[in-house]
Amino acid sequence: MSDRLTVFKTYKLYVGGKFPRSESGRVYEVTDSKGKWLANAPLSSRKDARDAVVAARKAFGGWSGATAYNRGQVLYRVAEMLEGRKDQFVREVADAEGISKSKAAVQVDAAIDRWVWYAGWTDKIAQVVGGANPVAGPFFNLSTPEPTGVVAVVAPQESSFLGLVSVIAPVIATGSTAVVIASEKSPLPALSLGEVLATSDVPGGVVNILTGKTAEIAAPLAAHQDVNAIDLTGAEAELARDLEIAAADNLKRVFRPQPVDWSADPGTHRLTACLETKTVWHPTGSLGASGSAY
Amino acid sequence: MPTAFADVTASDSTLRRFLHGLPGVDAVGLEARAASLGTRSIKTTAKAYAIDLAISMIDLTTLEGADTPGKVRALGAKAVNPDPTDRKTPRTAAVCVYPDMVATAKEAVGASGVKVASVATAFPAGRAAIEVKLGDVREAVAAGADEIDMVIDRGAFLAGDYMTVFEQIRAVKEACGTARLKVIFETGELSTYDNIKRASWIGMIAGADFIKTSTGKVGVNATPANTLLMLEAVRDFRAQTGVQIGVKPAGGIRSTKDAVKFLVLVNETAGPDWLDNHWFRFGASSLLNDLLMQRQKLATGRYSGPDYVTVD
């Protein structure tokens, strides 16, 4: 038998549950750490960013309205799918970050574990950050966290998969929807993650993945009036400052970039960054002889 | 009615002979033409012009069983002042309501120059006796409607009874008095492009001021192709008679991109004479919000969102 020709993969964006090419028709070359060509990735335009926001907004009602338990199940399903495609992610991470297969495998395992960890938080975060507040008056006063809305995420540039998972999972675990700008240099694991999300039970539009020049895509997202929060983790200092200024116009929540060890315990601050607190005051009168309000 | 058509409408058979003698429509060619005109890229100043023009052409519509006076007043306020953050935003052409809401709408738009249009003649099905339909029209006109949107009797049309359709339009036109009459064909129910063309000619000969695609209440509403066909009809009618008639696509036009495509059709088919809200309208409810968001984007450079326009 003659040598067969390899079938090259066309990496495409993941927007609204579909896999479109960039509206601009542009692509750019993605290379491994030694400069060897790996694939062409879509070079997104600001119109792609806008389309992604529209998709994310459309998905927000259903996703934020789903029960926390249901969201947890859906996220766990994603972890199951990731487990099944582990080899592919190990290969892509090894190429992207210039590390050995065994080191990449450690990263991928950690990413899947991270995803499961966040899946567990979906129906627990409300108890941790919400609850009854003691107030000086005859009121039952209850605070409850609510998802903020559409969150633009600038994914970390260096940690192409573990870092990526660590910034996406907390956003969607709490019920927000995400428009993610993948690492400019190493976007392939992110685009493959889109394929995993599409074949899990995550509704289309909950996560939207764009690739291309970070600065070009992030600028319209930061200024976009229908984006509620922006995570600047993957933006270098000067860009982050410009984006924060643009984001101020509609009072977006801004998560500032800070040095992170992605392999360390992440804590809950990324979960709470995308939450708004709603507090309800309910008059009770005084109850019982003790005069307790509730 | 132009005298040129007196012999055409002399009898049922002459009218039929005339309508069936109209050149057949090349469906593939029509759709291809409409699609190719839809590929134009309209940017920057041309886009700003198109957005303002489209806003000024909107018949802001609410035609629900659940319409309340409050909702109609809100709609009127929005028609007069579509974007309270930018007073330079043009007004819409009209608000379009059911006959019983005309008085409320009239009060809401006041002396702003925004017209009040009312659907009548047993909208949307048109299934009622002619006396009932005419009563419906008189009621709306008496309440102050500036424009009447009537529906044709599709049952009679599809049964080949063109004379009934013609006579009813004439009777309604008479009942309108000074109000302008828009004739709705419900193109989605007419099945073929040839039928749409025939209906257009019946409407134009019978004295319609506007021909309108649809009610917005059926599956297929305004499409670029059927609007293109109607624009060709009004162009040809003016060439033959000197009488200019307006066109109003309605239903399913939701985005700025769609609206701009229709404006391209108007300019390239009927010509710039029709690029005015006296001769071209959009029947729409959600289109206005998208136009306003695009307008805000052009003004500020930032993409806007649904939080910055009213929820209707």
Side-chain angles (χ1 to χ4, degrees), chain A residues 141-181:
Chain A
N141 185 283
L142 187 76
S143 289
T144 178
E146 293 194 340
T148 186
V150 174
V151 181
V153 179
V154 185
Q157 301 294 342
E158 299 306 323
S159 185
S160 63
F161 192 58
L162 176 58
L164 176 80
V165 162
S166 303
V167 294
I168 296 177
V171 171
I172 62 173
T174 49
S176 290
T177 54
V179 176
V180 183
I181 306 169

Side-chain angles (χ1 to χ4, degrees), chain B:
Chain B
M1 179 179 66
T3 46
F5 293 100
D7 51 339
V8 167
T9 56
S11 75
D12 204 11
S13 58
T14 54
L15 181 60
R16 175 186 311 278
R17 201 174 312 131
F18 170 78
L19 293 173
H20 285 257
L22 290 168
V25 180
D26 167 10
V28 174
L30 179 75
E31 283 168 10
R33 171 86 177 140
S36 78
L37 288 176
T39 59
R40 299 267 171 96
S41 181
I42 311 288
K43 301 280 186 228
T44 62
T45 50
K47 186 175 182 181
Y49 166 76
I51 287 173
D52 277 7
L53 185 61
I55 292 174
S56 77
M57 286 174 163
I58 287 182
D59 279 6
L60 196 58
T61 304
T62 182
L63 296 170
E64 303 296 334
D67 286 348
T68 56
K71 181 167 181 200
V72 171
R73 276 196 290 271
L75 197 76
K78 185 166 183 179
V80 173
N81 190 7
D83 186 350
T85 63
D86 182 359
R87 297 280 170 157
K88 288 203 286 294
T89 312
R91 290 176 173 146
T92 71
V95 291
C96 184
V97 294
Y98 273 119
D100 61 333
M101 288 294 172
V102 169
T104 314
K106 199 76 193 158
E107 202 178 317
V109 299
S112 62
V114 174
K115 303 267 195 297
V116 173
S118 178
V119 295
T121 72
F123 182 93
R127 300 252 71 90
I130 181 70
E131 286 74 25
V132 177
K133 292 182 180 179
L134 292 175
D136 205 10
V137 174
R138 288 192 195 103
E139 196 114 319
V141 173
D146 304 295
E147 300 172 356
I148 297 293
D149 291 29
M150 74 168 286
V151 286
I152 64 163
D153 184 341
R154 278 90 74 192
F157 182 91
L158 291 170
D161 190 359
Y162 301 135
M163 204 43 139
T164 301
V165 178
F166 174 77
E167 294 293 355
Q168 289 195 356
I169 298 172
R170 284 232 298 192
V172 171
K173 172 70 184 165
E174 214 170 281
C176 281
T178 56
R180 293 181 89 203
L181 174 65
K182 306 192 196 106
V183 179
I184 306 171
F185 302 136
E186 198 66 292
T187 48
E189 290 183 352
L190 297 187
S191 309
T192 67
Y193 288 124
D194 285 324
N195 277 345
I196 296 171
K197 186 169 191 175
R198 286 171 194 146
S200 301
W201 279 88
I202 296 177
M204 294 187 297
I205 297 171
D209 297 298
F210 260 93
I211 54 177
K212 172 174 167 185
T213 60
S214 17
T215 58
K217 301 283 186 196
V218 296
V220 179
N221 292 297
T223 64
N226 61 35
T227 307
L228 173 60
L229 182 57
M230 288 161 66
L231 285 164
E232 288 173 350
V234 297
R235 176 196 64 194
D236 295 349
F237 190 78
R238 189 175 78 165
Q240 278 193 32
T241 66
V243 178
Q244 186 165 349
I245 288 170
V247 177
K248 175 178 171 185
I253 306 168
R254 297 203 176 83
S255 70
T256 301
K257 211 176 219 176
D258 290 343
V260 172
K261 282 179 190 172
F262 278 94
L263 292 180
V264 172
L265 289 182
V266 174
N267 190 50
E268 297 298 317
T269 310
D273 286 357
W274 269 265
L275 284 178
D276 183 295
N277 67 10
H278 199 68
W279 300 115
F280 194 79
R281 296 281 178 83
F282 291 107
S285 45
S286 52
L287 171 63
L288 180 56
N289 276 352
D290 196 64
L291 286 165
L292 292 176
M293 286 192 276
Q294 290 284 335
R295 203 173 181 282
Q296 288 166 1
K297 158 71 171 67
L298 285 182
T300 63
R302 296 184 298 267
Y303 287 119
S304 185
D307 288 350
Y308 301 88
V309 291
T310 57
V311 180
D312 308 308

Side-chain angles (χ1 to χ4, degrees), chain A residues 154-271:
Chain A
V154 185
Q157 301 294 342
E158 299 306 323
S159 185
S160 63
F161 192 58
L162 176 58
L164 176 80
V165 162
S166 303
V167 294
I168 296 177
V171 171
I172 62 173
T174 49
S176 290
T177 54
V179 176
V180 183
I181 306 169
S183 162
E184 185 170 332
K185 189 166 62 70
S186 319
L188 302 187
L191 293 175
S192 294
L193 178 66
E195 292 159 18
V196 167
L197 295 170
T199 49
S200 313
D201 298 324
V202 181
V206 169
V207 179
N208 304 277
I209 297 173
L210 303 172
T211 57
K213 294 201 165 63
T214 302
E216 185 186 356
I217 317 168
L221 287 175
H224 201 306
Q225 302 287 288
D226 202 30
V227 171
N228 303 91
I230 187 163
D231 174 356
L232 299 175
T233 300
E236 47 86 24
E238 196 180 337
L239 176 64
R241 197 199 56 212
D242 292 347
L243 295 176
E244 191 167 347
I245 291 168
D249 197 74
N250 76 333
L251 306 179
K252 280 181 192 65
R253 300 241 158 218
V254 175
F255 192 85
R256 291 200 174 112
Q258 44 207 269
V260 193
D261 171 11
W262 296 109
S263 57
D265 176 355
T268 56
H269 65 290
R270 282 186 176 273
L271 285 164

Side-chain angles (χ1 to χ4, degrees), chain A residues 24-168:
Chain A
S24 63
R26 304 176 302 177
V27 293
Y28 69 111
E29 291 191 354
V30 178
T31 57
D32 67 10
S33 54
K34 294 187 189 68
K36 189 173 123 274
W37 180 82
L38 289 171
N40 285 350
L43 185 59
S44 304
S45 66
R46 60 188 178 148
K47 260 197 185 146
D48 292 312
R50 182 189 59 174
D51 292 347
V53 173
V54 170
R57 175 58 63 195
K58 205 167 153 204
F60 178 69
W63 185 243
S64 61
T67 62
Y69 174 73
N70 180 239
R71 278 203 299 272
Q73 297 234 301
V74 170
L75 293 192
Y76 189 78
R77 176 80 182 158
V78 175
E80 290 175 7
M81 296 293 112
L82 285 172
E83 193 80 32
R85 292 177 63 159
K86 209 150 77 176
D87 293 347
Q88 180 193 349
F89 283 106
V90 168
R91 198 176 58 245
E92 285 178 347
V93 170
D95 284 342
E97 300 182 19
I99 52 178
S100 68
K101 285 265 164 67
S102 57
K103 279 191 177 145
V106 172
Q107 296 263 324
V108 172
D109 284 345
I112 299 173
D113 291 349
R114 177 82 28 100
W115 197 284
V116 173
W117 188 79
Y118 276 118
W121 268 112
T122 54
D123 58 358
K124 298 170 189 71
I125 190 76
Q127 298 91 304
V128 174
V129 300
N133 309 311
V135 289
F139 300 97
F140 180 54
N141 185 283
L142 187 76
S143 289
T144 178
E146 293 194 340
T148 186
V150 174
V151 181
V153 179
V154 185
Q157 301 294 342
E158 299 306 323
S159 185
S160 63
F161 192 58
L162 176 58
L164 176 80
V165 162
S166 303
V167 294
I168 296 177

